[in-house]
Amino acid sequence: MKKIYYMLATILLLSNFAAKADEGMWIPLLLKKYNYEAMKAKGLKLTPEQLYDVNNSSLKDAIVWFNGGCTGEIISMEGLVLTNHHCGYDAIAANSSPQNNILDSGFWAKNHGQEIPVPGMWVSIVQRIEDISDKVMSELKGVDEKDRAAKIQEVYKKLITEATKGNTYEAQCREMFKGNAYYLFVFQRYNDIRLVGAPPQSIGKFGGETDNWMWPRHTGDFSMFRIYANKENKAAGYAPDNVPYQPKHSLPINIKGYKKGDFAMIYGFPGRTNRYEFSKGVQITTDIIDPAIVALRDVRLNAWKEQMNKDVDIRLKLSSDFASVANYWKYYAGEAEQLKKNKVYDIKIKEELAFAKWAKEKTEYNKLLSDMDSTFAVFKPISLQRIYINEGILAPNISKYVSYATALDETIQKGDAKKIAATREQLKEAIKELPYAPMIAMADKRIFDSILVLYYNNIPKDQQVALMGEIINKYNSSNPREAIRMYTDYVFANSIFSDEALMQAWFNNPRPAALKNDPAYIHVKAFRDHYINTFKPKVDKFNESISALGRIYIKGLMEMNPKRNFYPDANSSVRLTYGTVKPYMKYPLITNLDEVVVKHQKNSGNPEFNVPQRLLDLHKSKTYGHYAMKDGKLPVAFLTDNDITGGNSGSPVIDGEGRIIGLAFDGNWEAMSGNIHFDPANKRTICVDIRYVMFLIDIYGEAPHIVKEMKLVE
Ligand code: ARG
């Protein structure tokens, strides 16, 4: 194991100039060694130390992990953070009401005092990265596959304790190359984050679900926050007298623009890719898993939409959940479609055939692919189980309330007073996150019912929970659809978790008996136990086997291709990807405000394409300040060929001199297969132009005081 790691280093070293296309999410610590020359060749003007340094300020100090799911960047020496609108969405919606509707109207704080604290929101800044491959792998020698994961956790724990002793940092260890390398990331986390501003969602989410994951695009997808610290500029919990954080670095704003072919890099926290996936994994994804997720999410979206259309308050309460479920509903539909269209299964088969040929005489590798086949063959017939639990049975709010109650009940049974109090506090917060209203409960009932129908129709009969058969027999054995409807009525009429007051009363006085006899509790428990007893051991075994096979496969691929520059899959750790500003097919490189107006007119009556009258007026008078392009038009969005994925949302798009030219906010439809296979011909990053952002703050939002904090390069 140790050997492979050294070998890996040599491989990468040999192939300094081998970078093809602009594929790869690289670890900043290694840029100097493996990528710097290629970056320079593409137009980077900075030194490697300006990209990543531990002792002196560098770009990394302006990049923040935004609340665990997005990226943000610091753009002023007063801790101003820029991210996507869809990353701030939840905070913006949570601070909106029919009376003070900042989601629909937009918001700009006129001074620090007006900035809105967002409890629970945090950002983290990377302090250093360490290669811990040796430390981890030396402990794994002779360890059995089944004990491997536990051993790794044990080593992680030790290293994290060491890294955070005597300081205020947090640390995380991450596996790379499916376990062929390991890295430690040390962070400083900031918990006092306040909302500074956002455009109306008709701008920040312009095009809605229709345009989502598509180019050409016209969305002003940004929002702004500020990091607060204590008077010593140290991270601290929320306090009214905290002050704006003074960062080590902030990104200057390039409003001069860019052109096709210009260097562009994106620094951020990409979530997950699976670029070394096996052919059989691709097949299960396209044929089984993605369509199931789409069908199950459809149910939630339709039921919510029905209620959202009736009432503003309900719309505000459900908007954030709707947007995030819809976002990945479309993602999975697109992934299945594009995996097929881009023939990713065939590509994987070809790669595996080449591997098999190379591995023929090598005992370490020559059984790998047949093992892979048989491992997937066992998993395939039960591959819907986990999806139907997570995206189905547990999706209605009523099931979530039950899960929370179950968690509290289990903690109570253990009798540790401190833990009980802490769990209770946590759950109180979690419950607040699930908006309750009678109309939402109506949607919930429809969701509960439709999901059971899908379960009954799509899960093989011999795999179904016994409760399902009992429901049909009890309520209407000749009409299962009707039986499910009656059962749903029964559950919602009799469960305390379908009624806000009764539910709150239970959490205030959590009596086990009231829980155990509750029909929603009995329902969730039946499905959960069935999954845990019958399928979970098999799913766990599959995951263990397939990750071991994946590890060996990557190790083999590296031996087989000693000149190729390998990069690890995304895993929510900080990465940098570099490339160029680049158009896609026949489409324009940059979209502009004229097109926003045209799109708005063409789709009149469709709320997704509404725009505020003020934007139309500013367009009419061409009041663009110094943010227009040379042709007089106001840029809106543009494309690069950078390699990003979910989690990169909000990441800065940075030019060769370290200045921000835009924010990454999406990928294009034609490359929705990108998490499994990078296709340079199709893959693009969709970015909002920083000049549009500046126009929206400075002129549309009439908040020039915020622009004054920044360093604009004209
Ligand atoms: N597709 C974008 C991403 O995943 C998110 C867009 C959010 N907007 C929406 N219409 N749901 O980064």
Side-chain angles (χ1 to χ4, degrees), residues 184-204:
L184 171 86
F185 297 85
V186 178
F187 296 94
Q188 178 64 60
R189 173 166 162 155
Y190 296 84
N191 290 311
D192 186 350
I193 310 299
R194 305 185 195 175
L195 175 63
V196 174
Q201 69 164 335
S202 53
I203 293 173

Side-chain angles (χ1 to χ4, degrees), residues 170 220 273 309 343 369 375 390 434 459 526 544 625 667 673 697 709:
E170 289 182 353
T273 56
N309 286 343
K343 302 208 176 355
L369 292 172
T375 303
N390 290 339
L434 290 178
I459 296 292
E544 183 190 308
S673 44
I697 302 170
E709 285 181 37

Side-chain angles (χ1 to χ4, degrees), residues 199-211:
Q201 69 164 335
S202 53
I203 293 173
K205 203 188 166 195
F206 181 80
E209 306 312 326
T210 307
D211 274 8

Side-chain angles (χ1 to χ4, degrees), residues 86 205 208-209 212-213 217 221 323 327-328 649 665-666:
H86 73 265
K205 203 188 166 195
E209 306 312 326
N212 194 16
W213 301 107
R217 192 67 158 279
D221 197 343
N327 188 29
Y328 271 80
S649 280
F665 74 95
D666 212 354

